């Protein structure tokens, strides 16, 4: 098998986005949720080949564009990264929109706005341009909610922890600062990655997390550690661990959504507040509550997340299983 992909590379506030602009597979299904399942069954080798080494790296994240299923929408998108084929990706959406508008891959029905179909649901977009470059992207995410509070887990190297789990397009275990976790500044990146694998396993053993409206979205896949802000004007800071050993360099869009839902449910955030969320490297997303909701009997919100991305390169990537033993990628754990 020999397959060629044309990719456009960018980063959203520091975290990579590789948009597959040519060579993506034909998918079958009535919506992007069904097509995500089809991709996982038939084409997950594409994700591994493009995201893992030697063509990618541990932090690599990407997307593939498809025609919309409903005429009122502008495009459909599939999210791929080292951790899997995600229902939703915030930083990936910001990067994908930036690439697609600048490169003419999407012609919007209305200038300055888009409606994207994602596996998690419809995501409305607004964006700004200057000198033919997209300078900011704001997405109104799918409904986010606090799924569980104060799950007690034991993490070797830290001790007993209280963990919340919130959904913002993916399920996140949120580790707030507490007696046995002093904040992200007190640990090395490799320690956070190690702790995250233990916490994720323990959380998933304690409860079965399934989205109430889409049973294909299941399991806590990400861990969000909190810490003190770098800039006094910021609201909060985080480091999101995804996959086996990746830390999001951006503030993480679905993670920001999950944390906003957590704060909203606990009375720490209200509609009209601006939630300025820092990443581990200090880049920021600006979040607001677009709408207050009830989801499966629980308080929920539709978060709005704003950030930026920069296009930096073009890649023609070949996956050839005939003579390359590493065609389908690998990770060094």
């Amino acid at each position: 098998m020999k397959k060629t992909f044309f990719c456009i590379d960018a980063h959203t506030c520091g975290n990579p986005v590789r948009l597959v602009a040519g060579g993506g597979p034909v998918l079958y299904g009535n919506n992007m949720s069904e097509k995500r399942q089809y991709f996982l069954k038939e084409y997950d080798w594409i994700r591994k080949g493009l995201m893992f080494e030697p063509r990618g790296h541990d932090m690599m994240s990407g997307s593939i564009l498809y025609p919309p299923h409903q005429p009122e929408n502008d495009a459909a998108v599939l999210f791929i990264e080292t951790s899997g084929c995600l229902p939703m990706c915030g930083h990936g959406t910001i990067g994908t929109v930036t690439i697609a508008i600048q490169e003419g891959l999407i012609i919007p029905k209305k200038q300055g706005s888009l409606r994207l179909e994602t596996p998690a649901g419809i995501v409305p977009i607004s964006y700004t341009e200057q000198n033919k470059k997209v300078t900011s992207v704001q997405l109104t995410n799918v409904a986010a909610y606090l799924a569980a509070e104060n799950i007690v887990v034991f993490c070797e190297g830290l001790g007993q922890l209280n963990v919340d789990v919130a959904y913002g397009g993916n399920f996140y275990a949120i580790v707030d600062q507490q007696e046995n976790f002093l904040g992200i500044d007190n640990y090395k990146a490799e320690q956070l990655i190690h702790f995250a694998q233990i916490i994720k396993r323990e959380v998933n053993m304690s409860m079965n997390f399934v989205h109430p409206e889409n049973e294909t979205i299941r399991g806590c896949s990400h861990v969000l550690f909190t810490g003190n802000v770098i800039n006094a004007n910021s609201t909060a800071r985080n480091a999101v661990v995804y996959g086996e050993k990746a830390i999001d360099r951006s503030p993480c869009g679905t993670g920001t959504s999950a944390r906003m839902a957590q704060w909203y449910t606990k009375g720490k955030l209200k509609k009209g507040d601006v939630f300025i969320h820092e990443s581990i490297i200090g880049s920021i997303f600006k979040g607001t509550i677009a709408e207050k909701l009830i989801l499966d009997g629980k308080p929920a919100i539709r978060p709005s997340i704003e950030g930026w991305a920069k296009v930096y390169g073009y890649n023609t990537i070949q996956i050839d299983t005939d003579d390359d033993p590493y065609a389908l990628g690998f990770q060094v754990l």
Side-chain angles (χ1 to χ4, degrees):
M1 182 182 64
K2 185 176 180 180
K3 181 71 173 172
T4 300
F5 302 88
F6 174 64
C7 304
I8 304 174
D9 286 354
H11 72 87
T12 300
C13 293
N15 214 54
V17 180
R18 172 170 286 168
L19 173 59
V20 181
V26 174
L27 301 180
Y28 294 97
N30 296 313
N31 52 53
M32 286 312 294
S33 180
E34 292 182 7
K35 288 184 174 179
R36 172 177 173 253
Q37 297 306 308
Y38 186 83
F39 179 90
L40 285 167
K41 181 181 177 181
E42 301 291 340
Y43 292 109
D44 202 43
W45 60 268
I46 293 176
R47 176 186 68 86
K48 293 175 180 177
L50 294 178
M51 299 291 104
F52 291 161
E53 295 181 68
R55 295 160 191 82
H57 52 73
D58 291 325
M59 270 60 65
M60 185 56 75
S61 182
S63 61
I64 309 174
L65 288 174
Y66 289 93
H69 301 82
Q70 301 298 327
E72 66 269 24
N73 301 324
D74 293 274
V77 61
L78 184 79
F79 299 107
I80 54 176
E81 65 172 44
T82 52
S83 70
C85 182
L86 301 181
M88 175 58 191
C89 182
H91 98 274
T93 297
I94 293 169
T96 298
V97 169
T98 299
I99 297 167
I101 295 299
Q102 287 185 190
E103 302 292 327
L105 302 179
I106 297 176
I107 305 301
K109 290 177 169 58
K110 181 182 178 182
Q111 193 68 23
S113 66
L114 294 172
R115 282 175 58 87
L116 290 184
E117 299 175 7
T118 78
I122 302 298
V123 176
I125 303 288
S126 62
Y127 63 90
T128 58
E129 291 180 280
Q130 187 174 356
N131 298 325
K132 297 183 179 181
K133 288 191 174 182
V134 175
T135 54
S136 72
V137 175
Q138 185 175 40
L139 63 98
T140 301
N141 201 5
V142 297
Y145 70 101
L146 181 60
E149 294 184 69
N150 292 320
I151 299 173
V152 178
V153 300
F154 182 82
C155 179
E156 184 179 355
L158 291 174
Q160 183 173 297
L161 299 171
N162 291 323
V163 177
D164 291 346
V165 174
Y167 176 82
N170 304 288
F171 284 105
Y172 284 80
I174 301 176
V175 185
D176 284 307
Q177 291 169 272
Q178 53 194 279
E179 182 180 357
N180 289 335
F181 180 74
L182 304 178
I184 59 178
D185 288 332
N186 294 276
Y187 309 94
K188 295 179 181 179
E190 57 264 33
Q191 290 178 292
L192 295 176
I193 291 168
H194 174 70
F195 296 150
Q197 306 312 318
I198 299 171
I199 293 166
K200 183 168 60 175
R201 182 181 67 243
E202 293 296 312
V203 164
N204 281 314
M205 287 177 62
S206 70
M207 291 184 68
N208 184 27
F209 294 98
V210 182
H211 192 279
E213 297 179 347
N214 187 340
E215 65 177 13
T216 69
I217 302 174
R218 55 177 58 239
C220 180
S221 54
H222 296 61
V223 179
L224 188 156
F225 294 103
T226 70
N228 296 325
V229 298
I230 298 172
N231 190 313
N233 294 323
S234 297
T235 310
R237 187 169 174 230
N238 84 125
V240 165
V241 178
Y242 61 95
E244 296 298 322
K245 56 174 184 174
I247 292 183
D248 201 326
R249 272 60 171 160
S250 84
C252 187
T254 54
T256 298
S257 299
R259 197 172 185 194
M260 287 174 63
Q262 178 206 32
W263 277 37
Y264 168 74
T265 305
K266 291 174 178 284
K268 297 173 63 177
L269 187 71
K270 62 183 185 297
K271 192 172 182 180
D273 292 344
V274 178
F275 186 80
I276 302 176
H277 209 197
E278 286 183 346
S279 71
I280 194 170
I281 64 171
S283 57
I284 65 168
F285 285 163
K286 291 183 180 179
T288 55
I289 295 174
E291 186 180 1
K292 297 190 292 184
L293 306 164
I294 298 295
L295 181 65
D296 196 34
K298 296 175 186 262
I301 60 171
R302 287 206 76 176
S304 178
I305 308 294
E306 182 179 5
W308 53 264
K310 302 295 180 185
V311 179
Y312 62 78
Y314 303 87
N315 262 325
T316 299
I317 300 176
Q318 192 175 90
I319 296 177
D320 186 353
T321 59
D322 289 338
D323 65 354
D324 184 354
Y326 303 121
L328 301 184
F330 62 86
Q331 284 185 296
V332 180
L333 300 180

